[in-house]
Amino acid sequence: MYVRHLVLTDFRSWPRADLELGPGQTVFVAPNGYGKTNLVEALWYLATLGSHRVATDAPLIRAGADRAVLSAIVANDGRELAVDLEITTGRANKARLNRSPVRSPREVLGVLRAVLFAPEDLALVRGDPGERRRYLDEVATTRRPRIGGVRADYDKVVRQRTALLKTAGPARYRGESGVLDTLEVWDGHLASHGAQLLSARVELVNELGPEVEKAYQLLAPASRPASVRYRSGTEAVEAAAAAGTVDTAVYEAALLEELGRRRSAELERGVCLVGPHRDDLELRLGDQPAKGFASHGESWSMALGLRLAAYELLRIDGTDPVLLLDDVFAELDSARRHALAKVAASAEQVLVTAAVPDDLPGNWDARRILVGMRDDDTGRISEVLA
């Protein structure tokens, strides 16, 4: 799989960008602040419907514009698909597939499959559980686009149930039973959607485990062995996950039981205390958790190991994903840089950003694109270097 053509309109710093791409290794070279990362971010958004840098869409629209448009032509096994996304301020985003509108942007998930390496990846190890949950859900959605819909439905249930909890607490003391009856209905929705998300996550963790161990050993052969484990605040969920269970009925029953047990605490606090939105992916080095115990080099190796494991799983599925390497070589020592370059050398398409050519591994046969700036109304431009 590779991206043959990318066009951006009013995305981040780009009034307009139009790039012909191809298989092999392409490097975007520019000092920081010149817009090279925005190109990679756009491709990641096309693959996942999310940014690796911000949590909301508003910063993606160029200042002064009311919408951003991202368009790409993706080639896969001789077949080409055109995907277009329109990000609009204050309105729902729109998408087209082969120039025809689709009902939801989620319908274009899977057209572009990508794995991104970026400096922000250290948050996978050192950040809060939300970073690791997002990693699991992005990989699961890339492999099975249906999971994107499951996650969206689950998030909607959590928001609506949280709003209900805030009103149900006072209503309970006034003796109003109707709100509590409604809460039981939403308990069922949360358990149903949550069980599907749990099943997808646990299935993924089961497959990730051996790949993370192998990738970490490649990156840090002298370090302790790496492992991953799904952690949940619900005891029955964690036991089922530890056993590798992917049966949604098991998780649904466990969630319903825990929701009943935590009902009073939820009403008092007005928040959802049960569900996969509170879970974590535990990363371990030997007998210790990586968070708080790993050195800087070990943290980078673990973060890269997670990305490499995702890359291998996607390759096992039968399609080489596009590798996106955003200023990551500058963060690595020579051993880790060499290991990552070895993986990249076998990929069908690799798109890399670098502040200076010296950040890149030596002897790379790569097309280089200099991202420059011009002081007129066209903003940032690019030109190919021989």
Side-chain angles (χ1 to χ4, degrees):
M1 172 180 290
Y2 65 93
V3 178
R4 183 176 67 77
H5 194 196
L6 174 67
V7 178
L8 306 180
T9 303
D10 290 327
F11 181 81
R12 288 284 197 179
S13 60
W14 292 92
R16 177 78 174 176
D18 191 330
L19 288 170
E20 290 288 343
L21 300 169
Q25 298 161 347
T26 299
V27 182
F28 302 108
V29 182
N32 294 330
Y34 274 52
K36 61 185 184 299
T37 289
N38 300 342
L39 300 172
V40 171
E41 183 182 25
L43 289 166
W44 184 242
Y45 194 96
L46 284 163
T48 66
L49 303 183
S51 164
H52 68 292
R53 301 158 76 193
V54 293
T56 62
D57 287 349
L60 306 180
I61 302 173
R62 191 172 66 89
D66 58 4
R67 65 172 187 166
V69 180
L70 298 75
S71 301
I73 297 176
V74 181
N76 187 14
D77 289 334
R79 181 189 180 199
E80 291 192 344
L81 290 174
V83 58
D84 302 273
L85 288 174
E86 182 180 308
I87 305 170
T88 308
T89 303
R91 291 187 299 184
N93 295 340
K94 298 178 182 179
R96 291 184 298 168
L97 187 59
N98 284 339
R99 313 308 179 197
S100 298
V102 295
R103 289 176 297 177
S104 166
R106 291 202 301 267
E107 292 186 35
V108 305
L109 286 171
V111 173
L112 173 60
R113 291 156 67 95
V115 173
L116 171 72
F117 296 76
E120 289 83 0
D121 285 347
L122 267 185
L124 291 174
V125 181
R126 297 179 172 178
D128 61 39
E131 298 289 344
R132 293 178 286 279
R133 289 194 297 266
R134 183 169 68 166
Y135 161 79
L136 287 177
D137 294 341
E138 284 176 347
V139 177
T141 298
T142 300
R143 299 183 73 199
R144 311 280 187 271
R146 180 186 68 84
I147 302 303
V150 171
R151 177 58 193 267
D153 291 342
Y154 177 78
D155 287 346
K156 186 182 300 183
V157 168
V158 170
R159 288 194 300 270
Q160 293 176 325
R161 187 173 180 275
T162 298
L164 184 60
L165 282 168
K166 293 182 185 300
T167 61
R172 177 177 59 163
Y173 293 110
R174 294 194 300 267
E176 300 173 7
S177 60
V179 175
L180 296 179
D181 292 339
T182 303
L183 186 58
E184 289 189 3
V185 174
W186 284 104
D187 286 354
H189 292 323
L190 185 143
S192 175
H193 293 297
Q196 295 178 63
L197 186 57
L198 281 168
S199 177
R201 286 182 180 175
V202 172
E203 182 180 18
L204 176 59
V205 172
N206 290 344
E207 298 180 69
L208 275 174
E211 297 299 334
V212 170
E213 183 178 0
K214 287 190 295 185
Y216 188 85
Q217 176 66 23
L218 171 70
L219 294 161
S223 182
R224 299 162 288 174
S227 60
V228 297
R229 177 184 177 187
Y230 194 82
R231 298 304 302 266
S232 173
T234 301
E235 191 173 319
V237 169
E238 182 152 324
T245 300
V246 296
D247 187 346
T248 57
V250 171
Y251 291 115
E252 186 170 355
L255 289 173
L256 284 172
E257 181 179 353
E258 187 72 0
L259 285 166
R261 192 177 72 82
R262 303 292 298 276
R263 172 62 57 82
S264 294
E266 287 192 319
L267 289 170
E268 289 174 6
R269 296 176 58 178
V271 294
C272 289
L273 298 176
V274 179
H277 65 288
R278 302 183 69 88
D279 294 350
D280 197 0
L281 176 68
E282 185 181 62
L283 312 176
R284 298 188 71 84
L285 292 176
D287 296 328
Q288 293 179 315
K291 185 175 181 179
F293 290 90
S295 68
H296 183 74
E298 288 175 329
S299 296
W300 257 117
S301 293
M302 177 61 83
L304 288 172
L306 290 171
R307 294 300 187 191
L308 288 174
Y311 177 71
E312 288 303 320
L313 288 184
L314 290 171
R315 295 186 78 176
I316 291 170
D317 288 344
T319 300
D320 268 21
V322 175
L323 269 185
L324 305 173
L325 309 181
D326 180 23
D327 257 346
V328 72
F329 283 117
E331 303 285 341
L332 305 179
D333 59 29
S334 59
R336 293 175 178 85
R337 184 183 295 194
H338 176 75
L340 181 55
K342 185 177 179 180
V343 173
S346 66
E348 184 171 3
Q349 185 179 50
V350 187
L351 302 173
V352 186
T353 68
V356 294
D358 288 346
D359 287 342
L360 302 171
N363 302 320
W364 250 30
D365 181 19
R367 174 194 182 199
R368 295 186 181 184
I369 297 179
L370 176 65
V371 179
M373 183 184 294
R374 192 165 69 195
D375 293 328
D376 60 21
D377 60 3
T378 62
R380 306 178 195 277
I381 62 170
S382 65
E383 60 180 279
V384 179
L385 290 180

